[in-house]
Amino acid sequence: MPQIKGFVDHIIYQNADNGYTVLVLIPDEPVTDEGLEDPSEVTCVGIFPSISQGENVIVEGDFVSHDSFGRQLKMQHYEVVAPRSEDEQLRFLSSGVIKGVGPAMAKRIIAKFGEDSLRVMTEEPERLMEVRGIGEAKAITIGEQMMLRSFQRQIIMDLTSLGVTTNMAIRIYNEYGDDTMRIIRQNPYRLAEDINGIGFRMADEIAVRMGGNTDSDFRISCGLLYVLSMAEGMGHTYLPKDELLMQAAELLGTSMEAMEANIQNMIMDGRLKQRGDRFYRKFMYRMEDQVAGALIELDRALEGSEGATEKELIALEKKENMTLSESQRKAVALASKRGVFVLTGGPGTGKTTTIRMMIRYFEDMGYEVALAAPTGRAAKRMTEACGRGARTLHRLLEVNGGSYDEDDRGTGYARFERNPDNPLEYDVIIVDEMSMVDISLMYNLVRAISQGTRLVMVGDENQLPSVGPGNVLRDIIASDCFSQVTLKTIYRQAESGDIVWNAHAIRRGEAVHADNKNSRDFFFIEREDSDHIIATIRSLVKEKLPKYVDADSFDIQVLSPMKKGNLGVERLNRVLQMFLNPESENRLEKQYGERIFREGDKVMQTKNDYQMEWEVRGKYGIRVDSGTGIFNGDLGVIRSINDYNSTMTIEFDDGRMVDYPYKMLDQLDHAFAMTIHKSQGSEYPAVIIPLLDGPRMLYTRNLIYTAVTRAKKCVVLVGDEAVFQKMIANNVEAKRYSGLCDRIKERITIQGL
């Protein structure tokens, strides 16, 4: 690996957040690399925290060729070398790196102190007053700058010696500043609470390197919070005490007595909330409790409202040329007279028709109506179905990034411009695909709704629950405290063929046998092993289905029950990428870990990022809209890859363009295939579902029901039909610990409602 010693002539680009830098190095000796046009200067790229023009460095790395920027040294390791000679120190000081010291002043300092100049500036800055033009105030300022530079660099070096990456070290220093090492020595586990990207395990490794006590209170309390945060990642809002202690004991290797004592302390200082044998992180309990209270207050605010009469609705049906069933008419009437209303039903049962009639009624009453859904795709579907503009809940609430509460730093939840101080200005808010709404999004929604506004929630409780913590729709229904109507009659059989009928049969647990000869939209292709299944999928995606459903290959979605394995999305994406977007001289690539991202690839955001900036570009690339926030499940296509700026530009379904820094590529997965969980709220022209035997706890009825109901025109299952039938018969669902139902009932009991 080449090693080059020289000085930084100038910096082309530097990212202050992560230290990524492009600089020009003037080597002490000419560099022997055949690809360099000029061996007397080398362009270096990499993470260079706190580096400045004029500094002496030793850089190790590999030479790479860039299509646009030529030969570069990709830095793997570097070391700053203190300038020793008078010439080196003069060059450093003349670079302007120290505010108030230019070339002329640098010459006077060097003339006075010679090779001892930098030491004097750092250790005896008062002596600088001996130099013409430097008074006491300026001498002190120069000394502070010299100390600060040295201190920053030392902190980052200390952090990297603890096993922290340079990127993460910069983030830690940006958070704690000059107190970094004091804070970490006092409590290294604080990193897990304060710094996104550092969990308990990394903090624990740092503590071990620092000689920390494995039975310390800091470690135990951090471990308990970590177990609860991992449970939230699995969809729970709390854990029963026995389960919390069991998981924490396995993680920490600590006695139950030590954990019990810490739990009591954490309850007293407010970091844990206990309700019976249930333990929450404090903000998770607060969200459940406040959602319960807000729903009750919204509903109570409109008690006694007259709402729509049957006569008015029949007249409206004639006017709009619609015919509602008794259940649909009841739904519209209840939505018009209640503050909170829930409409549920499976595919083809008339939910969309009912929503359209609600909209017509409310608009005739002069009400302002807002339509929303959890994802961009779901909002787009709602817009097309209802003939009115729908937005994502994040857009409705005007997400702007950051934490919504200073007490909840590090939780990853967002701050919204719409809140109790700036509520939504609508009379009615209708939210579709409510099964996807988790407790944090629901919390932010209800706190932005003012009293007197009607909230209509629409969804299918048989779908998979939300990816995030909570079981909001099911808990609200289970509480039986709000008006609700479940639509059961199927209306779309002629239009949708077998998809709708079979979906309802699956929901009821009835065996479904695909009739490949007579069906127009529901097929099963028997294949015995994963290789034959993948070959069939390739043929369907590339050749057969696009013409059949009049769609592009990119719109055909492969949905797998699993992420890993022979038929998991990781393998399927590698195969489908080779087939649908193969390597080409015309498409740039970026390798990230074991994955290769290529221009033209279909990709998906895998977590909520409330700070990510986006823009919508009109003609000639002119920005017409902008904002922040890219969310779990958003789909897009890689439009360009720019190694010079270390960014990848992605265009999402709704036209939002995002420049992803390379350091953020861990938030992206390929999306030629995706898990069924990730497909919630979306609809595709055709869906292909590979099926071979898998874990019983995963291969469930509501999983296959969700997959089938994602298809608009065609479903093709490929694999073992016996597995399909087993999934239909398996009505076991993983337990999800969620307390919203109990909070609602508890609130109503306390208030005597």
Side-chain angles (χ1 to χ4, degrees):
M1 183 179 294
Q3 184 181 85
I4 304 172
K5 184 177 184 299
F7 71 91
V8 180
D9 183 71
H10 63 279
I11 292 174
I12 298 173
Y13 169 81
Q14 188 166 50
N15 186 314
D17 292 331
N18 62 16
Y20 179 81
T21 305
V22 182
L23 59 83
V24 173
L25 184 71
I26 304 299
D28 291 350
E29 299 177 1
V31 177
T32 56
D33 180 81
E34 296 179 358
L36 284 176
E37 292 183 9
D38 183 357
S40 65
E41 67 174 44
V42 178
T43 300
C44 301
V45 297
I47 305 296
F48 290 88
S50 303
I51 202 163
S52 302
Q53 180 179 330
E55 291 194 293
N56 289 357
V57 292
I58 298 173
V59 181
E60 290 183 10
D62 296 309
F63 278 104
V64 296
S65 294
H66 191 284
D67 291 342
S68 302
F69 308 109
R71 199 73 167 158
Q72 300 176 335
L73 185 75
K74 190 172 184 180
M75 183 274 292
Q76 300 296 330
H77 174 75
Y78 83 101
E79 177 184 350
V80 175
V81 181
R84 291 186 174 88
S85 70
E86 290 186 10
D87 286 344
E88 288 177 348
Q89 294 191 42
L90 177 61
R91 184 172 59 225
F92 172 69
L93 292 176
S94 297
S95 67
V97 66
I98 303 300
K99 187 177 179 182
V101 179
M105 181 65 72
K107 287 179 182 178
R108 293 202 292 272
I109 293 173
I110 297 298
K112 180 67 178 176
F113 301 112
E115 294 183 359
D116 204 29
S117 295
L118 294 186
R119 187 199 65 77
V120 169
M121 295 172 72
T122 303
E123 299 176 10
E124 302 177 87
E126 67 279 1
R127 290 185 59 191
L128 290 172
M129 289 187 289
E130 299 173 23
V131 178
R132 180 170 53 86
I134 298 181
E136 182 180 2
K138 190 168 187 177
I140 293 171
T141 300
I142 291 172
E144 288 175 346
Q145 289 184 70
M146 294 293 291
M147 285 294 293
L148 181 60
R149 288 186 57 77
S150 175
F151 198 46
Q152 286 176 340
R153 185 170 290 137
Q154 186 59 51
I155 288 173
I156 290 171
M157 289 173 62
D158 289 344
L159 289 171
T160 55
S161 71
L162 294 171
V164 177
T165 65
T166 306
N167 252 344
M168 188 59 72
I170 294 170
R171 290 173 64 183
I172 294 170
Y173 180 81
N174 288 342
E175 178 70 24
Y176 298 141
D178 294 346
D179 286 334
T180 296
M181 297 313 297
R182 180 189 63 78
I183 289 170
I184 294 175
R185 289 189 189 98
Q186 183 182 47
N187 176 15
Y189 296 97
R190 184 171 161 184
L191 291 166
E193 298 182 32
D194 293 347
I195 311 295
N196 284 332
I198 294 187
F200 170 80
R201 296 187 187 279
M202 185 183 293
D204 206 29
E205 289 177 10
I206 293 170
V208 169
R209 287 191 174 98
M210 298 180 73
N213 181 1
T214 57
D215 287 328
S216 73
D217 290 345
F218 289 137
R219 182 173 187 266
I220 293 171
S221 61
C222 184
L224 288 163
L225 292 174
Y226 174 77
V227 168
L228 286 172
S229 70
M230 291 299 99
E232 290 160 16
M234 299 296 292
H236 307 300
T237 60
Y238 70 87
L239 281 179
K241 182 178 181 180
D242 290 346
E243 198 156 334
L244 172 61
L245 291 176
M246 179 186 69
Q247 292 185 33
E250 185 177 342
L251 173 72
L252 299 168
T254 306
S255 68
M256 291 289 184
E257 292 76 12
M259 287 191 293
E260 289 270 16
N262 268 273
I263 283 176
Q264 294 308 312
N265 290 334
M266 293 171 73
I267 292 171
M268 291 179 65
D269 66 23
R271 285 184 293 167
L272 281 185
K273 181 70 178 180
Q274 180 180 9
R275 295 306 303 250
D277 73 334
R278 302 175 178 184
F279 285 87
Y280 294 80
R281 289 206 287 176
K282 63 169 183 178
F283 62 89
M284 193 60 65
Y285 175 81
R286 185 173 73 240
M287 287 192 292
E288 277 195 349
D289 189 55
Q290 292 193 17
V291 166
L295 288 173
I296 291 166
E297 290 304 314
L298 284 173
D299 200 41
R300 188 166 61 179
L302 285 168
E303 277 184 338
S305 176
E306 293 184 3
T309 65
E310 184 172 358
K311 183 177 180 181
E312 288 173 330
L313 292 178
I314 291 173
L316 187 59
E317 288 175 41
K318 291 180 180 178
K319 176 183 174 183
E320 298 294 335
N321 195 27
M322 291 184 185
T323 302
L324 301 185
S325 68
E326 184 178 342
S327 294
Q328 290 173 310
R329 199 173 292 137
K330 179 182 178 183
V332 178
L334 286 172
S336 69
K337 68 178 64 174
R338 303 299 305 187
V340 175
F341 174 71
V342 181
L343 176 66
T344 65
T349 55
K351 294 194 300 294
T352 300
T353 299
T354 308
I355 294 172
R356 287 206 303 263
M357 184 58 80
M358 288 179 186
I359 294 169
R360 303 297 190 277
Y361 172 79
F362 288 131
E363 288 179 342
D364 279 2
M365 295 294 292
Y367 294 164
E368 287 287 329
V369 181
L371 306 183
T375 67
R377 280 187 165 245
K380 185 178 179 181
R381 286 177 57 200
M382 195 179 189
T383 297
E384 293 168 350
C386 297
R388 298 288 189 281
R391 284 170 284 177
T392 65
L393 284 167
H394 291 94
R395 293 291 298 275
L396 179 72
L397 297 172
E398 298 176 18
V399 64
N400 69 357
S403 174
Y404 62 75
D405 191 319
E406 190 64 23
D407 291 338
D408 300 335
R409 294 177 63 204
T411 63
Y413 298 108
R415 186 174 72 250
F416 295 90
E417 293 296 338
R418 294 295 181 171
N419 52 51
D421 297 325
N422 182 29
L424 293 164
E425 298 172 351
Y426 296 99
D427 301 299
V428 184
I429 298 171
I430 302 175
V431 183
D432 199 7
E433 296 288 356
M434 272 296 301
S435 63
M436 298 179 65
V437 175
D438 63 22
I439 191 64
S440 66
L441 189 53
M442 189 65 182
Y443 166 76
N444 281 288
L445 173 63
V446 295
R447 70 197 297 264
I449 301 177
S450 55
Q451 299 298 311
T453 299
R454 292 168 171 80
L455 175 61
V456 177
M457 294 173 280
V458 184
D460 183 349
E461 63 177 312
N462 294 297
Q463 300 279 3
L464 293 168
S466 60
V467 174
N471 213 352
V472 173
L473 179 62
R474 289 190 183 185
D475 277 359
I476 291 172
I477 293 171
S479 74
D480 199 27
C481 294
F482 304 101
S483 298
Q484 54 188 282
V485 168
T486 300
L487 302 177
K488 298 178 180 179
T489 304
I490 303 173
Y491 295 98
R492 284 170 47 189
Q493 64 269 27
E495 172 192 342
S496 299
D498 294 328
I499 293 176
V500 169
W501 285 107
N502 288 343
H504 283 275
I506 291 169
R507 178 182 59 79
R508 295 190 296 267
E510 300 170 1
V512 173
H513 298 281
D515 184 355
N516 289 352
K517 290 185 178 180
N518 297 313
S519 179
R520 293 181 294 107
D521 60 7
F522 199 97
F523 307 98
F524 202 108
I525 301 175
E526 284 275 1
R527 294 292 183 268
E528 296 180 355
D529 60 69
S530 59
D531 289 342
H532 285 96
I533 290 174
I534 289 175
T536 302
I537 290 173
R538 285 167 46 184
S539 174
L540 288 167
V541 172
K542 186 71 175 178
E543 300 162 10
K544 297 182 179 179
L545 283 179
K547 291 181 181 179
Y548 188 72
V549 298
D550 190 25
D552 189 87
S553 291
F554 265 48
D555 295 325
I556 312 299
Q557 190 60 55
V558 179
L559 299 179
S560 173
M562 297 186 294
K563 187 171 184 178
K564 298 185 181 296
N566 288 336
L567 288 176
V569 296
E570 291 180 355
R571 184 187 181 200
L572 288 169
N573 272 315
R574 288 194 297 271
V575 173
L576 291 170
Q577 182 193 38
M578 291 167 50
F579 212 72
L580 296 175
N581 193 37
E583 184 178 359
S584 168
E585 293 181 357
N586 299 321
R587 288 190 285 268
L588 296 178
E589 297 179 351
K590 167 62 182 174
Q591 182 160 357
Y592 187 82
E594 297 182 357
R595 291 176 294 169
I596 294 176
F597 290 106
R598 182 175 297 137
E599 290 176 343
D601 276 351
K602 183 178 178 181
V603 292
M604 176 176 57
Q605 174 77 5
T606 61
K607 60 180 71 172
N608 290 338
D609 189 322
Y610 300 102
Q611 285 79 35
M612 189 75 82
E613 296 180 356
W614 56 262
E615 62 183 33
V616 177
R617 299 167 188 169
K619 195 173 182 181
Y620 307 118
I622 297 172
R623 184 175 65 184
V624 296
D625 193 11
S626 63
T628 60
I630 299 295
F631 306 107
N632 193 352
D634 284 353
L635 291 177
V637 175
I638 299 173
R639 295 303 183 196
S640 65
I641 294 174
N642 188 330
D643 280 337
Y644 184 73
N645 290 330
S646 295
T647 59
M648 195 162 72
T649 301
I650 296 172
E651 181 177 5
F652 286 92
D653 280 344
D654 51 6
R656 290 173 298 162
M657 305 289 287
V658 179
D659 293 328
Y660 276 75
Y662 284 170
K663 66 170 184 172
M664 308 295 283
L665 297 187
D666 61 336
Q667 297 190 12
L668 293 171
D669 277 343
H670 285 97
F672 301 103
M674 70 175 70
T675 61
I676 296 169
H677 283 84
K678 292 288 189 181
S679 71
Q680 288 174 267
S682 298
E683 188 176 66
Y684 310 96
V687 164
I688 303 170
I689 308 167
L691 288 180
L692 284 181
D693 212 2
R696 175 174 167 77
M697 288 302 297
L698 178 62
Y699 278 46
T700 61
R701 181 185 301 171
N702 67 340
L703 188 79
I704 194 64
Y705 173 79
T706 299
V708 167
T709 54
R710 298 308 91 203
K712 186 175 182 180
K713 296 181 179 179
C714 183
V715 171
V716 183
L717 300 105
V718 186
D720 184 350
E721 187 173 1
V723 173
F724 178 44
Q725 303 304 336
K726 285 180 183 178
M727 291 181 76
I728 295 173
N730 181 15
N731 201 28
V732 174
E733 292 187 35
K735 172 65 178 176
R736 179 168 283 214
Y737 297 117
S738 174
L740 179 58
C741 176
D742 293 335
R743 297 286 81 72
I744 293 170
K745 291 180 177 179
E746 183 180 85
R747 284 263 192 164
I748 286 179
T749 300
I750 291 172
Q751 296 176 20
L753 298 176

